[in-house]
Amino acid sequence: MNACEPKNASPPPVRRRRGVSRSVVLVGLMGAGKTTIGRRLAKRLGLEFVDADEAIEEAAGLTVSEIFARYGEAHFREGERRVIARLISGMPKVIATGGGAFVDPETRARVLESAIAVWLDADIETLVERVAKRDHRPLLKDKDAGQVLRDLAAVRNPFYAEAPIRISSQPAPHHVAVDAIVAELRRLGETA
């Protein structure tokens, strides 16, 4: 005991970690804000942020567009499945997935079993506005973005709806979505 401490001093209070015990996996259509919101959410939770598409590109030594062009979507999805499984199995982090990742039954089952899935949902007009700002999405190459997104939403939204957390990603400051996710994590008992 330190001579300066009173004899009856109680130990300092134990602070509960502000993070989560499982990875938080953001799912949703392209343009929903998974990467942008994910970075801010990771910072708020004190976790590492990983963009699954960037991890796939690093592992393959090719961009997502190059993988699609050279090997096709099926090959890309196989690599995506392996990378997401590896990311989830490590220390908790915030993971932004590609729009089609959660549609894969194996990936979806792994995420729902071992992580916390958060669906960032946005209306088609918002998505079109956002994806128009960048020209790197292979599924939109030389196509009408609005029609592609409507078609993808019709197929993918039922899968995204399996996520236990659904957040509206509308034109608003990013902290609004982050605050909503943190509130839902608390409601589910996943964070302090």
Side-chain angles (χ1 to χ4, degrees):
M1 176 182 281
N2 184 331
C4 297
E5 290 180 309
K7 290 182 182 179
N8 296 349
S10 56
V14 175
R15 290 186 169 199
R16 186 168 172 201
R17 210 174 146 232
R18 64 182 171 159
V20 294
S21 60
R22 300 185 289 162
S23 288
V24 177
V25 179
L26 303 179
V27 303
L29 289 172
M30 64 181 89
K34 299 180 297 286
T35 299
T36 306
I37 291 168
R39 287 186 200 286
R40 287 165 175 79
L41 178 64
K43 185 174 182 179
R44 170 82 73 82
L45 296 175
L47 298 174
E48 176 188 3
F49 171 77
V50 179
D51 183 296
D53 282 350
E54 289 176 6
I56 292 163
E57 290 177 342
E58 184 178 314
L62 299 167
T63 67
V64 170
S65 294
E66 290 169 336
I67 298 168
F68 266 75
R70 288 187 192 181
Y71 304 108
E73 185 174 358
H75 180 83
F76 171 79
R77 296 294 173 206
E78 176 59 34
E80 179 179 61
R81 190 178 302 119
R82 288 191 308 269
V83 167
I84 291 173
R86 176 179 50 81
L87 293 173
I88 290 173
S89 70
M91 292 293 293
K93 59 188 69 64
V94 174
I95 303 166
T97 63
F102 202 65
V103 175
D104 178 81
E106 188 178 323
T107 298
R108 186 171 63 258
R110 186 178 309 268
V111 169
L112 292 172
E113 178 183 315
S114 304
I116 307 154
V118 176
W119 175 18
L120 293 181
D121 188 18
D123 61 66
I124 299 299
E125 294 74 27
T126 300
L127 295 173
V128 169
E129 182 180 316
R130 290 176 180 170
V131 300
K133 295 176 183 174
R134 296 179 67 195
D135 185 27
H136 70 287
R137 302 178 191 270
L139 294 178
L140 296 181
K141 189 170 177 70
D142 303 322
K143 296 178 184 161
D144 174 72
Q147 188 57 54
V148 170
L149 287 162
R150 278 188 286 284
D151 293 345
L152 287 173
V155 171
R156 294 178 177 180
N157 284 358
F159 297 110
Y160 298 150
E162 293 183 38
I165 298 175
R166 179 180 180 181
I167 301 296
S168 179
S169 175
Q170 300 304 321
H174 296 116
H175 74 84
V176 173
V178 172
D179 291 347
I181 295 168
V182 170
E184 284 298 301
L185 290 170
R186 283 190 184 121
R187 185 184 67 75
L188 295 175
E190 296 287 352
T191 188

